[in-house]
């Protein structure tokens, strides 16, 4: 049950991007608005992990083959999805009594995600207003045994709901400090997801990636943009303050230009 600080998580998640993820979890209505609907992979996953229901396993493999491969091979890292014994390995992995309680608690906490759908719909509508060519990913929920928070693919984002059970969730007390637990709440899901999404779309070139200050400013710029999307200063840091001062003094720059700009020497 490993924890990664946000900046290191974003670095590792970007490296996990695959080329074959499914596209889109939204419907275009008559007005052209994009309604995000989270896919509930976690419900099928939890049914298999708690009961061993073979039909649930079949549904995981037929309806969500890429998500299942990602869970097994890249999130849990317990083997390859084509291994003959991988289904038993996956089931055994989650038989720990603590994990079984956590699965149940996550399903209760996220029985309804209408609030997240609404927030994500508003957020992606705003982002697409700035950058119409950006694709809206297929968004799904899953149980990850506390290994990840957000998992990003080319056209898919997984929300690990077991990492967002609240700062006071008893199990977290054993593995995370107070600062870490403060970020493991339902309110953090949308800003975290948007940050990882934008970081995956606007990456630093390898030659700039080596410089720590450049990486800090790049992350801060993405978080500053997410603050604008959310309409509140959700993320706070000295580097975000630097970004904010610059763009406050240089009004009128399109958000698409801000997102693609990698000239950090001017800050």
């Amino acid at each position: 049950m490993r924890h990664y600080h946000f900046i290191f998580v974003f670095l590792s998640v970007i490296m996990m991007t695959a080329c074959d993820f499914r596209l889109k979890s939204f419907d275009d209505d008559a007005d052209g608005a994009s309604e995000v609907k989270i896919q509930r992979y976690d419900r099928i996953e939890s049914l298999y992990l708690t009961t061993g229901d073979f039909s649930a396993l079949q549904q995981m493999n037929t309806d969500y083959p890429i998500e299942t491969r990602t869970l097994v091979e890249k999130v849990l890292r317990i083997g390859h999805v084509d291994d003959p014994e991988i289904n038993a390995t996956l089931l055994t992995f989650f038989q720990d009594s603590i994990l079984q309680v956590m699965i149940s608690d996550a399903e209760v906490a996220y029985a309804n995600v209408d609030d997240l759908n609404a927030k994500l719909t508003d957020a992606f509508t705003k982002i697409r207003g700035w950058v119409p060519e950006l694709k809206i990913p297929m968004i799904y929920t899953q149980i990850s045994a506390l290994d990840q928070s957000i998992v990003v693919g080319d056209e898919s984002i997984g929300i690990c709901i077991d990492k967002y059970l609240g700062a006071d969730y008893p199990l977290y007390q054993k593995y995370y400090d107070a600062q870490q637990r403060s970020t493991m709440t339902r309110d953090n899901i949308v800003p975290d997801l948007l940050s990882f999404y934008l970081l995956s779309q606007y990456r630093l070139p390898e030659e700039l990636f080596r410089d720590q200050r450049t990486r800090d400013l790049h992350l801060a710029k993405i978080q500053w943009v997410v603050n604008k999307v959310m309409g509140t200063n959700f993320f706070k840091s000295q580097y975000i303050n630097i970004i904010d001062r610059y763009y406050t003094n240089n009004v009128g720059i399109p958000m698409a230009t801000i997102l693609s700009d990698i000239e950090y020497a001017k800050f």
Side-chain angles (χ1 to χ4, degrees), residues 1 7 10 17 27 34 42 81 85 103 109 121 123 130 137 141 148 151 156 158 167 175 194 199 225 238 243 257:
M1 298 182 182
I7 190 167
F10 114 73
T17 302
D27 298 320
S34 300
D42 67 289
V81 75
E85 301 300 321
I103 293 171
T121 295
W130 294 334
T141 43
Q148 298 286 347
V151 180
S156 175
Y175 297 102
L194 296 176
L199 284 165
V225 171
Q238 61 174 325
I243 298 293
T257 301

Side-chain angles (χ1 to χ4, degrees), residues 146-191:
L146 301 181
D147 267 322
Q148 298 286 347
S149 299
I150 304 292
V151 180
V152 182
D154 274 352
E155 296 170 347
S156 175
I157 298 179
I159 303 168
C160 303
I161 56 176
D162 51 307
K163 286 293 289 287
Y164 294 99
L165 294 177
D168 297 327
Y169 185 63
L171 180 60
Y172 295 166
Q173 312 290 323
K174 182 177 180 180
Y175 297 102
Y176 306 101
D177 61 34
Q179 191 282 325
Q180 292 168 335
R181 295 197 303 272
S182 70
T183 67
M184 301 170 71
T185 71
R186 193 183 190 102
D187 288 342
N188 283 78
I189 289 178
V190 173

Side-chain angles (χ1 to χ4, degrees), residues 18-178:
C19 62
D20 55 351
F21 276 85
R22 287 205 306 265
L23 176 62
K24 297 186 179 182
S25 63
F26 68 90
D27 298 320
D28 291 331
D29 61 26
D31 297 323
S34 300
E35 181 183 0
V36 175
K37 295 180 180 177
I38 296 172
Q39 302 297 304
R40 297 306 305 269
Y41 173 71
D42 67 289
R43 289 178 172 170
I44 307 168
E45 178 192 5
S46 64
L47 179 60
Y48 176 63
L49 297 178
T50 56
T51 69
D53 188 318
F54 184 71
S55 63
L57 175 64
Q58 287 182 311
Q59 192 173 358
M60 287 172 63
N61 290 323
T62 57
D63 293 353
Y64 296 95
I66 297 171
E67 290 73 20
T68 300
R69 179 181 294 275
T70 299
L71 175 69
V72 168
E73 298 181 359
K74 297 182 179 181
V75 177
L76 301 177
R77 298 184 294 281
I78 58 174
H80 296 283
V81 75
D82 296 326
D83 291 346
E85 301 300 321
I86 196 61
N87 297 332
T89 301
L90 176 62
L91 189 61
T92 301
F93 183 89
F94 279 93
Q95 290 313 296
D96 179 271
S97 60
I98 295 176
L99 291 181
Q100 287 288 305
V101 170
M102 184 188 68
I103 293 171
S104 176
D105 290 344
E107 290 305 306
V108 171
Y110 289 92
N112 188 301
V113 295
D114 288 348
D115 59 321
L116 299 179
N117 286 334
K119 290 178 181 178
L120 288 167
T121 295
D122 290 344
F124 278 106
T125 298
K126 184 176 290 185
I127 291 172
R128 291 190 86 197
W130 294 334
V131 192
E133 63 271 20
L134 281 184
K135 297 177 180 178
I136 299 180
M138 190 279 279
I139 300 173
Y140 65 99
T141 43
Q142 68 175 5
I143 306 291
S144 70
L146 301 181
D147 267 322
Q148 298 286 347
S149 299
I150 304 292
V151 180
V152 182
D154 274 352
E155 296 170 347
S156 175
I157 298 179
I159 303 168
C160 303
I161 56 176
D162 51 307
K163 286 293 289 287
Y164 294 99
L165 294 177
D168 297 327
Y169 185 63
L171 180 60
Y172 295 166
Q173 312 290 323
K174 182 177 180 180
Y175 297 102
Y176 306 101
D177 61 34

